[in-house]
Amino acid sequence: MSRISLTQYLVEQQRSGGHMPAQLRLLIEVVARACKRIAISVNKGALGDVLGSAVSENVQGEVQKKLDIIANEVLIEANEWGGHLAAMASEEMDSIHVVPNRFPQGEYLLLFDPLDGSSNIDVNVSIGTIFSVLRKVTNTRGVSEEDFLQPGKQQAAAGYCVYGPQTTLVLTVGDGVVMFTLDREMGSWVMTESEVKIPADTKEFAINMSNMRHWAPPVRRYIDECLAGSTGPREKDFNMRWVASMVADVHRILTRGGVFMYPWDAREPNKAGKLRLMYEANPMAFLVEQAGGGATDGTRRILDITPSKLHERVAVVLGSKNEVERVTQYHLQQAG
Ligand code: AHM
Ligand code: MG
């Protein structure tokens, strides 16, 4: 079976659909190359002195791991000189990183969670890099945080790389979802799934059950009904998975279906949720919708939300369409 590379896929997208400008193609290739470098660091583990915590905290007050910082630097260095970007924003940086004057400025904005699943780094469980691409829509000179505050439906591309038993890059440019596996001998990304589809129904949910007592009633109701199994209202038994790396949980859902939830909870009642809208929820929602699934914050489609700040948080329900609709219905019934 002949397989195509990431470069070939992007060139074909450019030729056929026309929604793949050269700058966007370059951008995706550079991000993919940076992920290869991050994968090398991840694989070295203790031998490369990349495990454990750094001394710093990020803007959300979380202690940064060494790999959080390494991955962030790799992505910045790889992307700032190519002429395809105007600025970058990262979960690990307080404010945006404007492309320095010594380099040409491009028309795209890149957002990333450089190392998602930080709590899994030291225990050798799958982690990843999540990225989202927007176009700078204003013609003004210079770039500011406001340029980034666009709803997720305006993303030009999104994806993630999961550093697991295999290193896999998952991508959408708005024309379905494709997966590439890193061929380590060749050093190239080889397409291994050309048309990812999430089944509409599932018997598998992913949520951190230890927070159960803090959930809102609609979430509690949904999970209670799943747990009641074949003798409950759903009349089927459910299975549960929780990796605690969103990349790994979403990867499973893109592979075999399921529903993923990180809802609002009463531990921090003033925060909409734990996950970040622009670095985690938006790119994952774009991928999941492109694969035929759904993604809401309980009541609203995630991709419709206009962010009011860079590090905004959001509740997340995503995956198999019928389950996401059910959870959303339960929330709307309560609100109404
Ligand atoms: P991170 O970006 O700091 O790693 O945090 C995000 C992660 C997600 O990958 C995962 O779904 C969630 O946090 C797990 O949270 P918890 O440890 O509360 O279960
Ligand atoms: Mg992170």
Side-chain angles (χ1 to χ4, degrees):
M1 178 184 164
S2 81
R3 298 205 185 264
I4 70 166
S5 67
L6 173 64
T7 303
Q8 196 177 344
Y9 170 74
L10 294 174
V11 169
E12 282 173 6
Q13 280 285 325
Q14 193 173 4
R15 283 190 192 137
S16 61
H19 47 222
M20 175 62 67
Q23 278 195 14
L24 181 58
R25 182 158 72 84
L26 179 63
L27 193 168
I28 293 168
E29 296 241 34
V30 172
V31 169
R33 209 174 306 136
C35 289
K36 273 193 235 175
R37 282 188 55 192
I38 298 169
I40 291 168
S41 289
V42 169
N43 292 152
K44 285 209 162 94
L47 300 177
D49 191 25
V50 300
L51 304 184
S53 298
V55 283
S56 49
E57 279 188 358
N58 67 10
V59 63
Q60 359 260 337
E62 299 160 342
V63 174
Q64 289 177 303
K65 299 281 184 176
K66 286 181 191 166
L67 260 181
D68 286 324
I69 296 171
I70 293 167
N72 195 62
E73 280 169 4
V74 167
L75 282 158
I76 300 267
E77 270 174 30
N79 278 288
E80 67 179 2
W81 54 271
H84 49 283
L85 281 183
M88 289 174 255
S90 162
E91 187 185 303
E92 300 299 337
M93 300 190 299
D94 298 6
S95 45
I96 66 169
H97 178 92
V98 178
V99 168
N101 281 335
R102 61 183 185 280
F103 301 122
Q105 281 225 349
E107 59 177 306
Y108 287 96
L109 306 169
L110 175 64
L111 300 98
F112 45 83
D113 176 358
L115 215 292
D116 178 65
S118 306
S119 73
N120 281 325
I121 297 171
D122 295 349
V123 293
N124 199 1
V125 170
S126 295
I127 49 181
T129 297
I130 311 174
F131 64 95
S132 159
V133 182
L134 292 165
R135 265 193 57 234
K136 182 175 177 291
V137 283
T138 54
N139 289 324
T140 48
R141 283 198 67 225
V143 52
S144 68
E145 189 170 317
E146 277 68 50
D147 290 302
F148 284 83
L149 304 182
Q150 305 177 32
K153 62 187 169 198
Q154 285 174 215
Q155 289 171 103
Y160 64 81
C161 181
V162 56
Y163 312 111
Q166 301 102 44
T167 300
T168 309
L169 182 75
V170 181
L171 174 70
T172 183
V173 292
D175 185 25
V177 177
V178 285
M179 291 186 182
F180 301 87
T181 304
L182 181 60
D183 179 333
R184 287 181 185 276
E185 282 76 45
M186 304 298 288
S188 60
W189 294 106
V190 181
M191 189 187 280
T192 41
E193 284 294 336
S194 59
E195 217 180 312
V196 176
K197 288 278 169 250
I198 302 176
D201 291 301
T202 183
K203 292 162 113 181
E204 199 162 64
F205 66 86
I207 193 165
N208 185 337
M209 291 285 290
S210 68
N211 299 322
M212 188 175 220
R213 69 187 187 285
H214 304 294
W215 295 338
V219 177
R220 184 90 193 217
R221 174 182 170 194
Y222 176 76
I223 296 297
D224 279 348
E225 290 180 0
C226 293
L227 295 176
S230 55
T231 54
R234 300 299 308 276
E235 298 177 339
K236 57 181 182 178
D237 291 327
F238 279 77
N239 186 25
M240 194 202 88
R241 286 286 185 275
W242 184 250
V243 183
S245 287
M246 190 188 198
V247 275
D249 281 312
V250 171
H251 195 67
R252 184 186 60 256
I253 288 170
L254 285 171
T255 307
R256 69 175 188 212
V259 58
F260 169 96
M261 283 185 269
Y262 210 119
W264 170 92
D265 69 52
R267 286 173 302 164
E268 293 188 284
N270 299 326
K271 288 187 181 155
K274 172 180 178 177
L275 299 175
R276 274 74 26 150
L277 173 61
M278 302 194 73
Y279 313 112
E280 293 165 326
N282 271 345
M284 293 311 202
F286 191 18
L287 287 164
V288 165
E289 283 200 4
Q290 283 290 315
T296 74
D297 71 346
T299 54
R300 298 172 294 174
R301 179 182 178 228
I302 283 177
L303 295 180
D304 284 337
I305 300 172
T306 302
S308 54
K309 59 177 197 242
L310 210 49
H311 296 289
E312 186 160 321
R313 290 173 191 259
V314 69
V316 175
V317 182
L318 58 77
S320 290
K321 208 178 176 83
N322 292 341
E323 294 302 305
V324 174
E325 273 172 17
R326 178 181 285 268
V327 180
T328 306
Q329 266 325 102
Y330 289 1
H331 280 85
L332 291 171
Q333 279 168 19
Q334 181 190 257

mmCIF file of all heavy atoms in Angstrom, residues 124-165:
data_model
loop_
_atom_site.group_PDB
_atom_site.id
_atom_site.type_symbol
_atom_site.label_atom_id
_atom_site.label_comp_id
_atom_site.label_asym_id
_atom_site.label_seq_id
_atom_site.Cartn_x
_atom_site.Cartn_y
_atom_site.Cartn_z
ATOM 1 N N ASN A 124 5.594 8.578 32.642
ATOM 2 C CA ASN A 124 5.731 7.847 31.369
ATOM 3 C C ASN A 124 4.385 7.436 30.783
ATOM 4 O O ASN A 124 4.211 6.302 30.329
ATOM 5 C CB ASN A 124 6.649 6.630 31.566
ATOM 6 C CG ASN A 124 7.205 6.106 30.253
ATOM 7 O OD1 ASN A 124 6.932 6.665 29.192
ATOM 8 N ND2 ASN A 124 7.976 5.042 30.322
ATOM 9 N N VAL A 125 3.438 8.379 30.829
ATOM 10 C CA VAL A 125 2.116 8.161 30.209
ATOM 11 C C VAL A 125 1.986 9.178 29.076
ATOM 12 O O VAL A 125 2.591 10.261 29.136
ATOM 13 C CB VAL A 125 1.000 8.334 31.272
ATOM 14 C CG1 VAL A 125 -0.382 8.368 30.632
ATOM 15 C CG2 VAL A 125 1.065 7.209 32.304
ATOM 16 N N SER A 126 1.185 8.862 28.057
ATOM 17 C CA SER A 126 1.066 9.723 26.868
ATOM 18 C C SER A 126 0.804 11.192 27.210
ATOM 19 O O SER A 126 -0.038 11.508 28.043
ATOM 20 C CB SER A 126 -0.088 9.229 25.993
ATOM 21 O OG SER A 126 0.198 7.958 25.489
ATOM 22 N N ILE A 127 1.515 12.058 26.509
ATOM 23 C CA ILE A 127 1.342 13.511 26.616
ATOM 24 C C ILE A 127 1.312 14.065 25.183
ATOM 25 O O ILE A 127 1.409 13.285 24.228
ATOM 26 C CB ILE A 127 2.498 14.145 27.448
ATOM 27 C CG1 ILE A 127 3.856 13.642 26.925
ATOM 28 C CG2 ILE A 127 2.337 13.804 28.921
ATOM 29 C CD1 ILE A 127 5.046 14.186 27.680
ATOM 30 N N GLY A 128 1.183 15.380 25.031
ATOM 31 C CA GLY A 128 1.104 15.875 23.658
ATOM 32 C C GLY A 128 1.287 17.366 23.516
ATOM 33 O O GLY A 128 1.500 18.083 24.496
ATOM 34 N N THR A 129 1.209 17.828 22.276
ATOM 35 C CA THR A 129 1.243 19.251 21.933
ATOM 36 C C THR A 129 -0.047 19.548 21.173
ATOM 37 O O THR A 129 -0.404 18.794 20.259
ATOM 38 C CB THR A 129 2.446 19.552 21.012
ATOM 39 O OG1 THR A 129 3.653 19.273 21.719
ATOM 40 C CG2 THR A 129 2.441 21.004 20.536
ATOM 41 N N ILE A 130 -0.749 20.621 21.570
ATOM 42 C CA ILE A 130 -1.992 20.991 20.871
ATOM 43 C C ILE A 130 -1.765 22.352 20.213
ATOM 44 O O ILE A 130 -1.173 23.244 20.835
ATOM 45 C CB ILE A 130 -3.181 21.103 21.853
ATOM 46 C CG1 ILE A 130 -3.264 19.871 22.759
ATOM 47 C CG2 ILE A 130 -4.493 21.293 21.089
ATOM 48 C CD1 ILE A 130 -4.340 19.983 23.844
ATOM 49 N N PHE A 131 -2.245 22.536 18.968
ATOM 50 C CA PHE A 131 -2.060 23.837 18.324
ATOM 51 C C PHE A 131 -3.298 24.273 17.548
ATOM 52 O O PHE A 131 -4.122 23.455 17.132
ATOM 53 C CB PHE A 131 -0.823 23.843 17.404
ATOM 54 C CG PHE A 131 -0.930 22.909 16.229
ATOM 55 C CD1 PHE A 131 -1.377 23.361 14.992
ATOM 56 C CD2 PHE A 131 -0.588 21.573 16.352
ATOM 57 C CE1 PHE A 131 -1.478 22.504 13.903
ATOM 58 C CE2 PHE A 131 -0.694 20.700 15.275
ATOM 59 C CZ PHE A 131 -1.137 21.171 14.054
ATOM 60 N N SER A 132 -3.394 25.589 17.389
ATOM 61 C CA SER A 132 -4.535 26.205 16.714
ATOM 62 C C SER A 132 -3.998 27.359 15.872
ATOM 63 O O SER A 132 -3.103 28.087 16.311
ATOM 64 C CB SER A 132 -5.496 26.716 17.800
ATOM 65 O OG SER A 132 -6.354 27.706 17.311
ATOM 66 N N VAL A 133 -4.544 27.516 14.661
ATOM 67 C CA VAL A 133 -4.059 28.566 13.754
ATOM 68 C C VAL A 133 -5.206 29.505 13.383
ATOM 69 O O VAL A 133 -6.264 29.053 12.934
ATOM 70 C CB VAL A 133 -3.466 27.957 12.457
ATOM 71 C CG1 VAL A 133 -2.915 29.060 11.549
ATOM 72 C CG2 VAL A 133 -2.393 26.929 12.775
ATOM 73 N N LEU A 134 -4.984 30.787 13.567
ATOM 74 C CA LEU A 134 -5.950 31.809 13.161
ATOM 75 C C LEU A 134 -5.283 32.712 12.138
ATOM 76 O O LEU A 134 -4.045 32.796 12.095
ATOM 77 C CB LEU A 134 -6.360 32.664 14.374
ATOM 78 C CG LEU A 134 -7.180 31.973 15.467
ATOM 79 C CD1 LEU A 134 -7.189 32.825 16.730
ATOM 80 C CD2 LEU A 134 -8.605 31.718 14.991
ATOM 81 N N ARG A 135 -6.113 33.417 11.344
ATOM 82 C CA ARG A 135 -5.555 34.445 10.473
ATOM 83 C C ARG A 135 -5.701 35.780 11.148
ATOM 84 O O ARG A 135 -6.703 36.056 11.806
ATOM 85 C CB ARG A 135 -6.304 34.459 9.131
ATOM 86 C CG ARG A 135 -5.598 33.629 8.075
ATOM 87 C CD ARG A 135 -6.140 33.876 6.684
ATOM 88 N NE ARG A 135 -6.072 35.286 6.306
ATOM 89 C CZ ARG A 135 -7.114 35.987 5.888
ATOM 90 N NH1 ARG A 135 -8.297 35.439 5.778
ATOM 91 N NH2 ARG A 135 -6.978 37.255 5.562
ATOM 92 N N LYS A 136 -4.697 36.636 11.001
ATOM 93 C CA LYS A 136 -4.824 37.997 11.526
ATOM 94 C C LYS A 136 -5.784 38.715 10.580
ATOM 95 O O LYS A 136 -5.482 38.895 9.407
ATOM 96 C CB LYS A 136 -3.452 38.667 11.556
ATOM 97 C CG LYS A 136 -3.468 40.061 12.117
ATOM 98 C CD LYS A 136 -2.034 40.586 12.216
ATOM 99 C CE LYS A 136 -2.005 42.016 12.707
ATOM 100 N NZ LYS A 136 -2.541 42.992 11.764
ATOM 101 N N VAL A 137 -6.965 39.065 11.099
ATOM 102 C CA VAL A 137 -7.992 39.578 10.187
ATOM 103 C C VAL A 137 -7.942 41.095 10.008
ATOM 104 O O VAL A 137 -8.459 41.613 9.034
ATOM 105 C CB VAL A 137 -9.418 39.126 10.589
ATOM 106 C CG1 VAL A 137 -9.653 37.686 10.179
ATOM 107 C CG2 VAL A 137 -9.671 39.290 12.077
ATOM 108 N N THR A 138 -7.321 41.797 10.947
ATOM 109 C CA THR A 138 -7.247 43.250 10.796
ATOM 110 C C THR A 138 -6.037 43.617 9.934
ATOM 111 O O THR A 138 -5.028 42.916 9.932
ATOM 112 C CB THR A 138 -7.098 43.938 12.166
ATOM 113 O OG1 THR A 138 -5.973 43.357 12.824
ATOM 114 C CG2 THR A 138 -8.337 43.762 13.015
ATOM 115 N N ASN A 139 -6.157 44.738 9.232
ATOM 116 C CA ASN A 139 -5.044 45.165 8.378
ATOM 117 C C ASN A 139 -4.102 46.119 9.086
ATOM 118 O O ASN A 139 -3.159 46.625 8.490
ATOM 119 C CB ASN A 139 -5.581 45.847 7.113
ATOM 120 C CG ASN A 139 -6.225 44.824 6.202
ATOM 121 O OD1 ASN A 139 -5.737 43.696 6.121
ATOM 122 N ND2 ASN A 139 -7.321 45.193 5.581
ATOM 123 N N THR A 140 -4.385 46.377 10.354
ATOM 124 C CA THR A 140 -3.567 47.334 11.096
ATOM 125 C C THR A 140 -2.125 46.860 11.168
ATOM 126 O O THR A 140 -1.849 45.652 11.183
ATOM 127 C CB THR A 140 -4.086 47.480 12.536
ATOM 128 O OG1 THR A 140 -4.269 46.166 13.060
ATOM 129 C CG2 THR A 140 -5.395 48.236 12.568
ATOM 130 N N ARG A 141 -1.214 47.814 11.250
ATOM 131 C CA ARG A 141 0.186 47.433 11.451
ATOM 132 C C ARG A 141 0.332 46.973 12.882
ATOM 133 O O ARG A 141 -0.385 47.408 13.767
ATOM 134 C CB ARG A 141 1.104 48.630 11.172
ATOM 135 C CG ARG A 141 1.286 48.880 9.680
ATOM 136 C CD ARG A 141 2.502 49.747 9.389
ATOM 137 N NE ARG A 141 3.759 49.102 9.702
ATOM 138 C CZ ARG A 141 4.750 49.717 10.347
ATOM 139 N NH1 ARG A 141 4.626 50.956 10.740
ATOM 140 N NH2 ARG A 141 5.875 49.091 10.573
ATOM 141 N N GLY A 142 1.262 46.086 13.114
ATOM 142 C CA GLY A 142 1.461 45.593 14.468
ATOM 143 C C GLY A 142 0.407 44.554 14.808
ATOM 144 O O GLY A 142 -0.544 44.333 14.056
ATOM 145 N N VAL A 143 0.594 43.917 15.946
ATOM 146 C CA VAL A 143 -0.337 42.871 16.350
ATOM 147 C C VAL A 143 -0.510 42.944 17.866
ATOM 148 O O VAL A 143 0.428 43.272 18.588
ATOM 149 C CB VAL A 143 0.168 41.480 15.868
ATOM 150 C CG1 VAL A 143 1.586 41.210 16.287
ATOM 151 C CG2 VAL A 143 -0.733 40.354 16.330
ATOM 152 N N SER A 144 -1.737 42.715 18.320
ATOM 153 C CA SER A 144 -2.004 42.789 19.755
ATOM 154 C C SER A 144 -2.850 41.600 20.178
ATOM 155 O O SER A 144 -3.308 40.807 19.333
ATOM 156 C CB SER A 144 -2.746 44.088 20.087
ATOM 157 O OG SER A 144 -4.051 44.015 19.534
ATOM 158 N N GLU A 145 -3.080 41.510 21.481
ATOM 159 C CA GLU A 145 -3.868 40.397 22.016
ATOM 160 C C GLU A 145 -5.255 40.340 21.371
ATOM 161 O O GLU A 145 -5.793 39.259 21.135
ATOM 162 C CB GLU A 145 -3.981 40.559 23.539
ATOM 163 C CG GLU A 145 -4.585 39.361 24.206
ATOM 164 C CD GLU A 145 -4.491 39.411 25.729
ATOM 165 O OE1 GLU A 145 -3.428 39.793 26.260
ATOM 166 O OE2 GLU A 145 -5.500 39.064 26.377
ATOM 167 N N GLU A 146 -5.824 41.519 21.067
ATOM 168 C CA GLU A 146 -7.180 41.556 20.467
ATOM 169 C C GLU A 146 -7.245 40.752 19.165
ATOM 170 O O GLU A 146 -8.278 40.168 18.846
ATOM 171 C CB GLU A 146 -7.619 43.005 20.164
ATOM 172 C CG GLU A 146 -8.210 43.747 21.349
ATOM 173 C CD GLU A 146 -7.162 44.014 22.425
ATOM 174 O OE1 GLU A 146 -6.069 44.540 22.088
ATOM 175 O OE2 GLU A 146 -7.417 43.680 23.592
ATOM 176 N N ASP A 147 -6.139 40.737 18.419
ATOM 177 C CA ASP A 147 -6.142 39.991 17.158
ATOM 178 C C ASP A 147 -6.435 38.502 17.372
ATOM 179 O O ASP A 147 -6.918 37.820 16.480
ATOM 180 C CB ASP A 147 -4.798 40.150 16.436
ATOM 181 C CG ASP A 147 -4.609 41.555 15.899
ATOM 182 O OD1 ASP A 147 -5.446 41.996 15.098
ATOM 183 O OD2 ASP A 147 -3.632 42.225 16.295
ATOM 184 N N PHE A 148 -6.090 38.007 18.564
ATOM 185 C CA PHE A 148 -6.286 36.581 18.861
ATOM 186 C C PHE A 148 -7.709 36.252 19.294
ATOM 187 O O PHE A 148 -8.095 35.092 19.310
ATOM 188 C CB PHE A 148 -5.334 36.151 19.989
ATOM 189 C CG PHE A 148 -3.903 35.980 19.559
ATOM 190 C CD1 PHE A 148 -3.049 37.073 19.476
ATOM 191 C CD2 PHE A 148 -3.404 34.721 19.251
ATOM 192 C CE1 PHE A 148 -1.725 36.904 19.091
ATOM 193 C CE2 PHE A 148 -2.091 34.547 18.875
ATOM 194 C CZ PHE A 148 -1.245 35.647 18.785
ATOM 195 N N LEU A 149 -8.479 37.259 19.698
ATOM 196 C CA LEU A 149 -9.771 36.993 20.336
ATOM 197 C C LEU A 149 -10.872 36.724 19.311
ATOM 198 O O LEU A 149 -11.855 37.456 19.217
ATOM 199 C CB LEU A 149 -10.142 38.148 21.280
ATOM 200 C CG LEU A 149 -9.081 38.455 22.349
ATOM 201 C CD1 LEU A 149 -9.540 39.563 23.279
ATOM 202 C CD2 LEU A 149 -8.706 37.207 23.154
ATOM 203 N N GLN A 150 -10.691 35.682 18.552
ATOM 204 C CA GLN A 150 -11.644 35.280 17.516
ATOM 205 C C GLN A 150 -12.305 33.963 17.932
ATOM 206 O O GLN A 150 -11.664 33.131 18.555
ATOM 207 C CB GLN A 150 -10.914 35.031 16.189
ATOM 208 C CG GLN A 150 -10.069 36.186 15.697
ATOM 209 C CD GLN A 150 -9.320 35.810 14.410
ATOM 210 O OE1 GLN A 150 -9.806 35.035 13.596
ATOM 211 N NE2 GLN A 150 -8.128 36.348 14.237
ATOM 212 N N PRO A 151 -13.569 33.767 17.559
ATOM 213 C CA PRO A 151 -14.201 32.474 17.867
ATOM 214 C C PRO A 151 -13.504 31.332 17.130
ATOM 215 O O PRO A 151 -12.942 31.523 16.047
ATOM 216 C CB PRO A 151 -15.642 32.650 17.381
ATOM 217 C CG PRO A 151 -15.609 33.805 16.447
ATOM 218 C CD PRO A 151 -14.464 34.674 16.838
ATOM 219 N N GLY A 152 -13.572 30.145 17.727
ATOM 220 C CA GLY A 152 -12.872 28.983 17.182
ATOM 221 C C GLY A 152 -13.298 28.594 15.781
ATOM 222 O O GLY A 152 -12.547 27.938 15.058
ATOM 223 N N LYS A 153 -14.514 29.002 15.374
ATOM 224 C CA LYS A 153 -14.952 28.628 14.020
ATOM 225 C C LYS A 153 -14.107 29.324 12.957
ATOM 226 O O LYS A 153 -14.168 28.956 11.783
ATOM 227 C CB LYS A 153 -16.437 28.909 13.825
ATOM 228 C CG LYS A 153 -16.832 30.347 13.940
ATOM 229 C CD LYS A 153 -18.350 30.490 13.892
ATOM 230 C CE LYS A 153 -18.742 31.909 14.288
ATOM 231 N NZ LYS A 153 -20.146 32.013 14.675
ATOM 232 N N GLN A 154 -13.329 30.310 13.354
ATOM 233 C CA GLN A 154 -12.459 30.996 12.391
ATOM 234 C C GLN A 154 -11.068 30.363 12.279
ATOM 235 O O GLN A 154 -10.202 30.868 11.557
ATOM 236 C CB GLN A 154 -12.343 32.477 12.761
ATOM 237 C CG GLN A 154 -13.620 33.221 12.401
ATOM 238 C CD GLN A 154 -13.672 34.664 12.862
ATOM 239 O OE1 GLN A 154 -14.747 35.143 13.213
ATOM 240 N NE2 GLN A 154 -12.549 35.347 12.865
ATOM 241 N N GLN A 155 -10.835 29.262 12.973
ATOM 242 C CA GLN A 155 -9.523 28.608 12.874
ATOM 243 C C GLN A 155 -9.262 28.159 11.427
ATOM 244 O O GLN A 155 -10.131 27.606 10.764
ATOM 245 C CB GLN A 155 -9.471 27.372 13.780
ATOM 246 C CG GLN A 155 -9.437 27.708 15.267
ATOM 247 C CD GLN A 155 -9.600 26.468 16.133
ATOM 248 O OE1 GLN A 155 -8.642 25.965 16.675
ATOM 249 N NE2 GLN A 155 -10.820 25.972 16.255
ATOM 250 N N ALA A 156 -8.032 28.404 10.986
ATOM 251 C CA ALA A 156 -7.635 27.969 9.638
ATOM 252 C C ALA A 156 -7.127 26.534 9.667
ATOM 253 O O ALA A 156 -7.190 25.822 8.665
ATOM 254 C CB ALA A 156 -6.542 28.881 9.103
ATOM 255 N N ALA A 157 -6.631 26.128 10.806
ATOM 256 C CA ALA A 157 -6.120 24.768 10.983
ATOM 257 C C ALA A 157 -6.019 24.501 12.478
ATOM 258 O O ALA A 157 -5.974 25.436 13.283
ATOM 259 C CB ALA A 157 -4.743 24.614 10.340
ATOM 260 N N ALA A 158 -6.004 23.237 12.829
ATOM 261 C CA ALA A 158 -5.795 22.859 14.230
ATOM 262 C C ALA A 158 -5.304 21.423 14.258
ATOM 263 O O ALA A 158 -5.528 20.662 13.302
ATOM 264 C CB ALA A 158 -7.092 22.984 15.036
ATOM 265 N N GLY A 159 -4.657 21.071 15.351
ATOM 266 C CA GLY A 159 -4.194 19.690 15.450
ATOM 267 C C GLY A 159 -3.502 19.440 16.771
ATOM 268 O O GLY A 159 -3.439 20.301 17.648
ATOM 269 N N TYR A 160 -3.023 18.218 16.892
ATOM 270 C CA TYR A 160 -2.211 17.881 18.066
ATOM 271 C C TYR A 160 -1.243 16.782 17.676
ATOM 272 O O TYR A 160 -1.420 16.097 16.662
ATOM 273 C CB TYR A 160 -3.092 17.442 19.248
ATOM 274 C CG TYR A 160 -3.882 16.182 19.025
ATOM 275 C CD1 TYR A 160 -3.304 14.923 19.164
ATOM 276 C CD2 TYR A 160 -5.220 16.244 18.661
ATOM 277 C CE1 TYR A 160 -4.032 13.765 18.949
ATOM 278 C CE2 TYR A 160 -5.958 15.083 18.451
ATOM 279 C CZ TYR A 160 -5.356 13.843 18.601
ATOM 280 O OH TYR A 160 -6.065 12.690 18.371
ATOM 281 N N CYS A 161 -0.216 16.657 18.483
ATOM 282 C CA CYS A 161 0.711 15.542 18.342
ATOM 283 C C CYS A 161 0.672 14.798 19.659
ATOM 284 O O CYS A 161 0.790 15.423 20.717
ATOM 285 C CB CYS A 161 2.117 16.076 18.054
ATOM 286 S SG CYS A 161 3.308 14.753 17.853
ATOM 287 N N VAL A 162 0.460 13.490 19.620
ATOM 288 C CA VAL A 162 0.471 12.716 20.857
ATOM 289 C C VAL A 162 1.770 11.916 20.928
ATOM 290 O O VAL A 162 2.157 11.247 19.971
ATOM 291 C CB VAL A 162 -0.816 11.859 21.012
ATOM 292 C CG1 VAL A 162 -1.059 10.934 19.844
ATOM 293 C CG2 VAL A 162 -0.821 11.083 22.302
ATOM 294 N N TYR A 163 2.480 12.086 22.058
ATOM 295 C CA TYR A 163 3.729 11.358 22.291
ATOM 296 C C TYR A 163 3.362 10.144 23.146
ATOM 297 O O TYR A 163 3.286 10.238 24.375
ATOM 298 C CB TYR A 163 4.755 12.258 23.001
ATOM 299 C CG TYR A 163 4.885 13.630 22.350
ATOM 300 C CD1 TYR A 163 4.440 14.781 23.006
ATOM 301 C CD2 TYR A 163 5.419 13.759 21.069
ATOM 302 C CE1 TYR A 163 4.532 16.031 22.401
ATOM 303 C CE2 TYR A 163 5.498 14.999 20.453
ATOM 304 C CZ TYR A 163 5.052 16.129 21.132
ATOM 305 O OH TYR A 163 5.125 17.357 20.531
ATOM 306 N N GLY A 164 3.050 9.044 22.488
ATOM 307 C CA GLY A 164 2.619 7.833 23.177
ATOM 308 C C GLY A 164 3.429 6.660 22.666
ATOM 309 O O GLY A 164 4.555 6.854 22.199
ATOM 310 N N PRO A 165 2.869 5.456 22.715
ATOM 311 C CA PRO A 165 3.582 4.311 22.145
ATOM 312 C C PRO A 165 4.013 4.592 20.699
ATOM 313 O O PRO A 165 5.084 4.192 20.268
ATOM 314 C CB PRO A 165 2.542 3.189 22.214
ATOM 315 C CG PRO A 165 1.680 3.562 23.380
ATOM 316 C CD PRO A 165 1.600 5.058 23.356
#
